[in-house]
Amino acid sequence: MAFLSSFRTGRETIYPESLRERLETFPLLAEVGDAAMKRLLAEANWFGLPGGQVLQRDGENNRALFLVVTGSLGVFVDGENGKRRIVAHIGAGETVGEMSLISGEPHSAQLIALRDSELLRVSPDAFDSLITRHPRVMFNLMRILVRRLHETTRSREDGSRPKTFAIAPLQDGLEDEPIARRLAAALVEMGSKAAVLDSTSATQSAEWFNSFEAAHDIVFYRGDTIDSAWTNLCLRQADRIFLLARADRPLPMRPLDLPAFKERAMGMPQLLLVHEAGRSQNLPEHFALRSGLFESHHHIRAGVTSDIGRLARFIAGRAVGLVLAGGGARGFAHIGVIKALMEAKVPFDHLGGTSMGAIIAAGLACEWGIEELTERMREAFVQTNPLNDYTIPLIALVRGKKVSSRLREHFGEVMIEELAKPFFCVSSDLTSGRIHVHRQGALWRALRASVALPGILPPVTHHGHLLVDGGVMNNLPVDVMSKQTQGPIIASDVTGELDLRVRDDRYGERPIWWLIWQRMRGTPSIVSILMRSGTVGSEAQRKLVLDQADYLFQPPLGDIGLRDWRSFDRAIAEGYAHAATMIEQKGIPLTDVWTEGPAVAVRHSALLSDGSSGT
């Protein structure tokens, strides 16, 4: 932090006229008059705080009041596991430090500049003098504190939408990459005021950047070259950072030098991976060494406009997350739900699931159409039985090689990181007693872990841990999805009520010859019992996460059992009929429209009447 000036020169107070005009818009100084304004400026110090820097609260800053003239500050408090989390944004025109100023107690939060900022510091003595002569200032301060108290009680988390995005190159020769302008155009089409700033704006003042940002909903700061002065300014100004790289070139070995505390303020950067022609199966060299470089990535393929649209929805907080539950043969109903959603033009931007739901979600992540998805599932589970390679049950009833072969046949050796759309699946870690979320590695192997029903399929080993079916601990991972996306979440749950019934109350006491003679009539087999036990354990957790879904489909599947593979077409039909009815009654998520707040339903009937696409 460097002090730029004090406005007092001798016995006179001299300040820019533009600063006085800006201060008149501050709620703290509403209707206080010129005399109060001059006294405030006579006692204040004007200083700059670069983006990413901490506002130190010791010395002269102890118990001081700060007015944010340009830029933005983040308020951070201690969260879980000792990590700090942001709880509020203090934008231009607002004040911070009031609580310590009034109470005299130590600071409980840390202030970090989220972008290059200019502030006024008013000492405790200067503030006491100001309110003694101009009590209106104290009245305004009380109104500000009451408003903030109301906002705190409404929400425990800061819900501010990111406004500024830096797109910084990781490799040379990316100065003319048009992604920033394509994103801005997509967001403008959604109804936002989006714009791009490049190095031609490098000489502008902090006041100019503040005014430009205030006039827009989204501003992209496009860096020019690696480590240039302009690129570093872009990083300081950004609420979120995108790193830009080509897939056919190696990534750098070292993390990006972010401004101090920037990572804490906004999280790790995200990678935009540019593909020249279509989607490449190959990730760039050093991609696996990404620890400390970025937290997630997006594929941007040449000529694929849907990639830009999906990224624009992520930026706008409208990216659709689809979560599919496990359920054996009942999971085929997901295909019907997906078909109805596709017909309503609902995009799928982020995909996740458990067990059978994970396999179907993976098909969507591979961009299979509904016909291809249907036929692949029919071939894998109906035309052949992957669970009939029985063995001596030392570990499981079946060897699991047929399941692994089917998964490799349909998904090949593709890595989760290579998928065009973000994807995760869930398995249960018997070693740690926690769920394991698969976001990287071979897709087929992650799916093999997610479907490894205990007792039926052998567990999958992962760094010495035993992984089994995700349904044991989390059969509908809506909670996992909610931590990764701020857009509407659609969940399809096919678990239903307990469908494992028995007509003979003493069947477990019967001799084996009696069961064989009765041909197991009305008696669940060991496979059915084990399959049901793989999902029933997570019922309590499932009910907890259901309310986190914005749109929930629960097809009534009647007597379709977990192993009723021959009911493939009937399960799809039931899922489609249920979803079509729900869409007609409750509508679909609002996706390609710029709006604040949570997901909003658009009535499907209205879409049909006006001929619009629904997104």
Side-chain angles (χ1 to χ4, degrees):
M1 182 179 70
F3 283 98
L4 301 181
S5 69
S6 171
F7 299 105
R8 176 170 295 210
T9 303
R11 302 184 62 180
E12 295 187 6
T13 300
I14 302 175
Y15 52 85
E17 182 65 19
S18 60
L19 177 60
R20 185 191 65 79
E21 293 175 353
R22 172 165 289 280
L23 291 178
E24 287 179 347
T25 66
F26 279 52
L28 178 69
L29 302 175
E31 302 177 8
V32 299
D34 288 341
M37 193 81 67
K38 289 182 179 180
R39 176 165 291 276
L40 172 72
L41 290 170
E43 301 292 344
N45 292 103
W46 189 11
F47 65 93
L49 191 65
Q53 290 290 330
V54 174
L55 176 58
Q56 301 296 337
R57 308 292 291 279
D58 54 2
E60 293 182 315
N61 289 340
N62 184 37
R63 293 184 58 232
L65 177 70
F66 299 94
L67 287 73
V68 182
V69 180
T70 65
S72 175
L73 303 183
V75 181
F76 292 80
V77 299
D78 290 326
E80 298 178 0
N81 302 321
K83 294 183 178 180
R84 295 217 144 195
R85 61 186 180 90
I86 188 167
V87 294
H89 283 74
I90 308 298
E94 298 186 67
T95 57
V96 67
E98 307 94 336
M99 297 301 295
S100 295
L101 176 66
I102 295 174
S103 68
E105 296 180 356
H107 312 291
S108 59
Q110 188 176 51
L111 303 177
I112 300 176
L114 300 182
R115 61 201 64 176
D116 287 357
S117 303
E118 295 179 353
L119 299 92
L120 292 180
R121 180 180 65 83
V122 181
S123 69
D125 291 341
F127 186 76
D128 289 342
S129 175
L130 179 65
I131 61 176
T132 299
R133 295 173 178 268
H134 306 281
R136 175 75 188 187
V137 176
M138 178 57 78
F139 174 75
N140 290 342
L141 181 59
M142 292 301 102
R143 294 183 65 177
I144 291 172
L145 294 177
V146 169
R147 173 176 57 83
R148 289 184 180 170
L149 178 61
H150 283 317
E151 292 174 351
T152 302
T153 56
R154 290 194 199 106
S155 175
R156 298 179 62 183
E157 299 288 339
D158 176 59
S160 299
R161 172 186 276 172
K163 186 182 188 71
T164 57
F165 294 79
I167 299 182
L170 280 178
Q171 302 156 338
D172 294 326
L174 293 171
E175 298 89 344
D176 298 326
E177 177 57 50
I179 285 180
R181 300 202 178 278
R182 293 175 63 194
L183 282 171
L187 288 163
V188 167
E189 190 173 347
M190 293 171 66
S192 75
K193 295 179 180 179
V196 179
L197 291 178
D198 57 25
S199 58
T200 59
S201 303
T203 59
Q204 298 292 346
S205 66
E207 173 68 24
W208 186 89
F209 287 120
N210 187 79
S211 299
F212 190 88
E213 292 175 11
H216 294 84
D217 298 313
I218 292 288
V219 176
F220 293 100
Y221 283 85
R222 191 181 74 176
D224 48 7
T225 59
I226 301 172
D227 292 333
S228 71
W230 168 250
T231 296
N232 280 292
L233 186 146
C234 294
L235 297 176
R236 296 197 306 270
Q237 289 294 109
D239 293 328
R240 295 289 186 271
I241 293 175
F242 288 135
L243 305 178
L244 188 62
R246 295 193 185 279
D248 57 355
R249 301 180 190 173
L251 296 181
M253 298 287 287
R254 64 177 180 84
L256 187 70
D257 290 330
L258 294 178
F261 297 96
K262 199 68 175 181
E263 179 181 330
R264 180 184 299 179
M266 50 178 283
M268 290 285 290
Q270 298 183 46
L271 176 68
L272 302 184
L273 203 53
V274 181
H275 299 267
E276 282 297 328
R279 174 176 155 272
S280 172
Q281 287 288 328
N282 299 318
L283 295 170
E285 188 178 351
H286 308 320
F287 186 90
L289 303 179
R290 67 190 179 285
S291 178
L293 186 63
F294 59 91
E295 67 174 1
S296 61
H297 64 286
H298 303 268
H299 293 284
I300 307 295
R301 297 164 291 180
V304 183
T305 58
S306 60
D307 288 348
I308 292 293
R310 180 168 56 254
L311 183 55
R313 287 190 291 273
F314 271 100
I315 291 172
R318 302 255 66 86
V320 177
L322 179 66
V323 184
L324 306 180
R330 296 167 68 91
F332 297 143
H334 294 317
I335 300 175
V337 172
I338 291 166
K339 180 181 180 182
L341 289 169
M342 284 183 169
E343 290 179 354
K345 308 299 183 184
V346 177
F348 304 127
D349 299 310
H350 199 156
L351 299 149
T354 298
S355 198
M356 179 62 77
I359 294 176
I360 294 174
L364 291 178
C366 291
E367 299 186 303
W368 296 347
I370 194 67
E371 294 81 8
E372 182 178 3
L373 177 64
T374 302
E375 291 311 309
R376 284 181 181 270
M377 293 299 102
R378 188 193 305 276
E379 179 183 346
F381 295 100
V382 181
Q383 295 177 356
T384 59
N385 183 2
L387 294 176
N388 62 3
D389 54 341
Y390 296 103
T391 185
I392 299 174
L394 298 177
I395 300 176
L397 291 177
V398 302
R399 299 172 65 190
K401 286 191 174 182
K402 291 187 69 173
V403 173
S404 297
S405 296
R406 293 292 181 275
L407 291 173
R408 297 186 79 163
E409 176 185 346
H410 289 282
F411 294 102
E413 299 300 324
V414 65
M415 306 290 284
I416 293 176
E417 302 96 311
E418 294 175 333
L419 295 172
K421 299 181 180 181
F423 169 83
F424 72 87
C425 66
V426 171
S427 63
S428 301
D429 189 338
L430 295 184
T431 304
S432 66
R434 296 188 294 266
I435 67 168
H436 182 91
V437 182
H438 300 263
R439 297 191 183 94
Q440 59 186 3
L443 176 60
W444 76 267
R445 188 168 177 81
L447 296 175
R448 172 64 177 79
S450 191
V451 302
L453 278 161
I456 297 179
L457 285 166
V460 171
T461 58
H462 179 75
H463 300 303
H465 288 226
L466 291 178
L467 306 181
V468 298
D469 194 294
V472 173
M473 295 181 181
N474 192 339
N475 199 45
L476 187 64
V478 176
D479 53 334
V480 178
M481 180 66 77
S482 67
K483 294 176 182 178
Q484 299 179 0
T485 182
Q486 295 181 344
I489 297 177
I490 301 173
S492 180
D493 181 19
V494 296
T495 307
E497 298 301 323
L498 187 65
D499 64 345
L500 197 64
R501 302 182 185 277
V502 61
R503 291 195 292 268
D504 183 359
D505 292 338
R506 295 182 57 208
Y507 90 98
E509 304 168 16
R510 303 291 191 186
I512 188 171
W513 62 263
W514 189 90
L515 293 174
I516 295 175
W517 178 62
Q518 289 290 323
R519 297 181 181 178
M520 299 288 289
R521 288 194 184 92
T523 303
S525 68
I526 183 174
V527 176
S528 296
I529 293 172
L530 289 172
M531 288 189 72
R532 182 55 182 169
S533 67
T535 59
V536 73
S538 64
E539 284 298 300
Q541 190 275 343
R542 166 178 161 265
K543 292 177 181 178
L544 288 175
V545 303
L546 285 179
D547 61 352
Q548 298 183 36
D550 298 289
Y551 297 84
L552 176 63
F553 296 100
Q554 293 179 299
L557 299 175
D559 59 349
I560 298 178
L562 298 174
R563 298 174 59 213
D564 197 357
W565 311 112
R566 298 295 175 181
S567 295
F568 180 82
D569 292 311
R570 184 156 66 94
I572 293 176
E574 292 284 358
Y576 177 80
H578 169 76
T581 300
M582 292 288 291
I583 289 171
E584 181 63 31
Q585 293 176 351
K586 297 186 177 181
I588 59 174
L590 196 59
T591 56
D592 287 349
V593 176
W594 181 265
T595 181
E596 294 284 353
V600 179
V602 177
R603 287 297 300 271
H604 185 54
S605 57
L607 300 179
L608 293 177
S609 63
D610 66 13
S612 63
S613 66
T615 57

